[in-house]
Amino acid sequence: MSRTGTRVHLSGPLAVDEIVDLSGDALQHLRARRLRPGAELTVFDGNGGEYRARLETLERREATVRLLRHEPREAEPPLPFVLLQGIAKGDRMDLAVQKAVELGITRIVPVFTEHTVVRLDGERMRKRQTHWQRVAVSACEQCGRNRVPAVDTPVSLDRAWEQVDGLQGVVLDPANGCGVEALPPPAAGIALLVGPEGGLSDTEVAAATNRGFEGLGLGPRVLRTETATLAALAVLQARFGDLA
C-alpha cells in the first residue's frame, strides 16, 4: 500500500506541479474521507506510477489538488491474468470484479454463458459495463494499484476465446479438474474461465478443454460463482504470481 490511505483515480495524463480540478466520484471520495485543505493524498491516472498530492481546496461541488511529485511505484502481477467471468446477478458480479482487481487481475471479460440469467443489450449493457469499470477503479483506489484493469464489453463465450489467444487457459471444473499444483506453468499469462450461478455447462467445459484450457478443481465443497472466482485467483496467484 501507499503511505497514505487516501488514493484517488483521475483521468490523465497528469504532470508534476499541475493543479487539478476534482468533481464527481473523486470529489465524493474526498468528502467521504473528511479531508481538509492541506491534507496529503495519492493520485494516479492509470498510466503507471502515482503522484503525491496536496488538497488545495474542498468545496461542496468542487475541489483542487496540487501534484507534488511522481513516484514510480507499481503493484502489478508478474504475468497478465485475464478473467472470463460468467455474468452473475447484481452484487455477485460486483464482488467478483472488485475482489478480482484486488487479487491482481489485469483484464476482465464479462461472458454470456448457457446458465447466465442476466439479460443485457444496448443501453443497459453499456451502463452495466460502465458500472463494473467504476467498481474496478474503486478497487484500485483501495488496494494500491496504479493501473486500472479494463472491463470489456460483455460477449458470448464463443467470441471470448479470441480474446485470450496465447494465454494458458484454466477453466473451473469441480467434477474433473485437477489441483493447482498439477497445472503447467504459464509462458505468457493465464486466462481463467468461471461460470455464473449454476456454473458452466458440460458443453462449455468441453469447449474450453478442446481449446487447451486446463481444468481446475477447488476441493469438495460447492462454491458460489463470486467465491469460486476469488478462490481460483488466489491459488493461481499463489502458485504462479506474487501472492505470498
Side-chain angles (χ1 to χ4, degrees):
M1 290 290 293
S2 66
R3 290 170 294 174
T4 177
T6 302
R7 307 183 74 254
V8 177
H9 175 264
L10 297 177
S11 298
L14 303 175
V16 173
D17 290 331
E18 184 179 5
I19 295 179
V20 183
D21 296 327
L22 278 68
S23 60
D25 289 346
L27 175 60
Q28 294 304 314
H29 184 54
L30 292 186
R31 294 184 66 84
R33 298 300 296 267
R34 298 184 178 181
L35 296 187
R36 297 181 179 275
E40 288 200 355
L41 62 150
T42 301
V43 173
F44 64 103
D45 62 6
N47 294 318
E50 61 191 21
Y51 292 84
R52 298 293 295 172
R54 182 176 60 242
L55 182 61
E56 298 287 289
T57 64
L58 179 60
E59 306 295 339
R60 184 165 177 266
R61 296 186 178 180
E62 62 182 16
T64 59
V65 297
R66 181 183 294 274
L67 306 181
L68 303 176
R69 64 183 180 276
H70 183 264
E71 298 180 346
R73 189 192 65 82
E74 295 293 352
E76 297 305 296
L79 291 172
F81 279 74
V82 177
L83 173 62
L84 304 178
Q85 175 67 51
I87 298 171
K89 291 191 288 187
D91 291 345
R92 294 182 181 181
M93 188 68 178
D94 288 2
L95 184 62
V97 170
Q98 180 190 66
K99 300 308 181 185
V101 172
E102 291 180 28
L103 286 166
I105 206 73
T106 50
R107 184 174 159 219
I108 298 172
V109 183
V111 176
F112 294 106
T113 69
E114 289 185 29
H115 294 162
T116 298
V117 297
V118 178
R119 295 291 175 255
L120 299 174
D121 55 25
E123 182 66 11
R124 188 178 180 205
M125 182 158 59
R126 187 193 67 79
K127 287 182 177 179
R128 294 312 296 170
Q129 180 192 7
T130 299
H131 170 75
W132 294 328
Q133 189 67 69
R134 291 173 66 181
V135 171
V137 167
S138 179
C140 286
E141 290 176 335
Q142 183 277 324
C143 75
R145 292 183 67 176
N146 292 322
R147 298 181 185 271
V148 180
V151 181
D152 289 7
T153 301
V155 295
S156 67
L157 186 55
D158 285 341
R159 291 186 56 197
W161 305 123
E162 62 193 52
Q163 311 270 18
V164 293
D165 283 346
L167 300 181
Q168 171 63 53
V170 175
V171 55
L172 285 192
D173 184 2
N176 301 301
C178 65
V180 68
E181 69 283 349
L183 295 178
I190 292 176
L192 171 65
L193 172 60
V194 182
E197 301 95 333
L200 298 166
S201 70
D202 292 343
T203 300
E204 290 167 334
V205 172
T209 56
N210 287 340
R211 287 169 169 80
F213 278 58
E214 300 282 345
L216 173 65
L218 294 173
R221 289 166 294 281
V222 177
L223 305 180
R224 288 189 171 203
T225 177
E226 67 274 27
T227 309
T229 296
L230 310 188
L233 283 173
V235 298
L236 289 170
Q237 280 281 37
R239 172 80 170 158
F240 303 117
D242 58 3
L243 189 63

